[in-house]
Amino acid sequence: SGTQSGTQSGTQSGTQSGTPSGTSSGALSGSGSTSLRRGSGRGSGSGRGGGRVRTICPVQTPSVSSSSSSGVRPKLDVFERLENVSSDTELSVLGEACASFSPDTIRYKLMMSSDEYILSPTLEGCALQLRYDKPGYEIAAVRVLVGNASSEHIPRTISIMGRSVPTVANSRRWYDFPLTDAEITTVSAMRGAVVAISKSYEAGNPALFDAIEVYARPIPAAAAAGAGVIGGGVGGGVGGGVGGIG
């Protein structure tokens, strides 16, 4: 465990400290002018991380947008044209890291406005399956926030639908994943999008998800009319999500 203190110049100053928990819980706690996210139980992490935790101020930084596998850059207003469904009851988040919590608790932990997070149960990273079961809608984009609770639990990469994006060490950032039409079709066929994080930059500290935002769009009329029976589970996708990360 460890402690970091600092003074911010300007109109305010404060001291913050953070200490990872032991093996009984995955909590990070902090005090001072800047609060830290807190979690508990195996569902939010096994708490195996050791070493000094440097906390960072949750100052908003520009997000990093992932281009598709075809190299086509998404339109800048893509999120403005979609519906944020992160708090909808039709959204389910599945995975080993979520096994000990109810769907409502998981959604709350991953909301940007909450003081919670999801810590990987393994040092190698983990994967979460995002399912949105509102009739007539499909997942079209995902945003992932890392680096808010602790700069020493940032994953090296974030991956979704075969696309891996390297993160920036010691930096709080959103990483944007607008999906192409082909990827949206694949997500619908798999009945969910799989988002995965790799091991962290700091050896011995499991990576964590600070927040995840899910965006959906109405299913186009042509696609809805021609849709067949959606089959196949995504258990294999969740299990194989981490393996695809470098």
Side-chain angles (χ1 to χ4, degrees):
S1 64
T3 304
Q4 173 193 25
S5 63
T7 303
Q8 294 178 317
S9 63
T11 59
Q12 79 175 53
S13 65
T15 302
Q16 54 182 193
S17 61
T19 304
S21 67
T23 57
S24 60
S25 73
L28 297 177
S29 62
S31 61
S33 61
T34 303
S35 62
L36 290 176
R37 292 170 175 266
R38 291 175 287 276
S40 61
R42 177 172 174 77
S44 64
S46 60
R48 301 173 187 171
R52 193 163 63 91
V53 173
R54 299 189 304 274
T55 59
I56 55 179
C57 298
V59 177
Q60 185 63 47
T61 55
S63 61
V64 176
S65 183
S66 165
S67 59
S68 68
S69 56
S70 63
V72 178
R73 300 295 298 181
K75 295 181 179 180
L76 296 179
D77 64 344
V78 62
F79 289 94
E80 297 177 4
R81 295 184 283 110
L82 301 174
E83 181 178 345
N84 189 333
V85 299
S86 306
S87 60
D88 288 10
T89 57
E90 292 88 353
L91 177 68
S92 300
V93 183
L94 308 175
E96 183 183 356
C98 306
S100 300
F101 298 99
S102 68
D104 289 340
T105 300
I106 297 168
R107 280 193 300 272
Y108 174 76
K109 281 178 172 290
L110 291 174
M111 291 180 64
M112 181 178 63
S113 58
S114 79
D115 289 329
E116 303 285 342
Y117 56 83
I118 296 294
L119 196 68
S120 170
T122 72
L123 294 177
E124 295 304 313
C126 68
L128 300 178
Q129 177 201 356
L130 311 175
R131 292 183 58 176
Y132 189 61
D133 295 324
K134 184 175 181 179
Y137 281 79
E138 58 191 2
I139 295 176
V142 176
R143 303 183 75 212
V144 180
L145 174 66
V146 296
N148 190 55
S150 169
S151 63
E152 293 193 352
H153 292 261
I154 297 175
R156 291 176 178 269
T157 59
I158 304 172
S159 177
I160 185 170
M161 303 307 298
R163 283 189 269 151
S164 291
V165 174
T167 61
V168 179
N170 302 315
S171 179
R172 176 193 188 275
R173 293 193 181 215
W174 283 97
Y175 293 86
D176 298 346
F177 294 88
L179 304 181
T180 65
D181 288 340
E183 289 170 336
I184 293 172
T185 299
T186 301
V187 168
S188 297
M190 294 175 59
R191 298 191 62 204
V194 177
V195 56
I197 53 176
S198 70
K199 60 185 178 182
S200 71
Y201 286 96
E202 300 293 334
N205 289 345
L208 63 81
F209 291 97
D210 282 292
I212 295 178
E213 289 187 345
V214 180
Y215 292 78
R217 72 178 188 184
I219 298 176
V229 177
I230 299 177
V234 294
V238 172
V242 176
I245 302 174

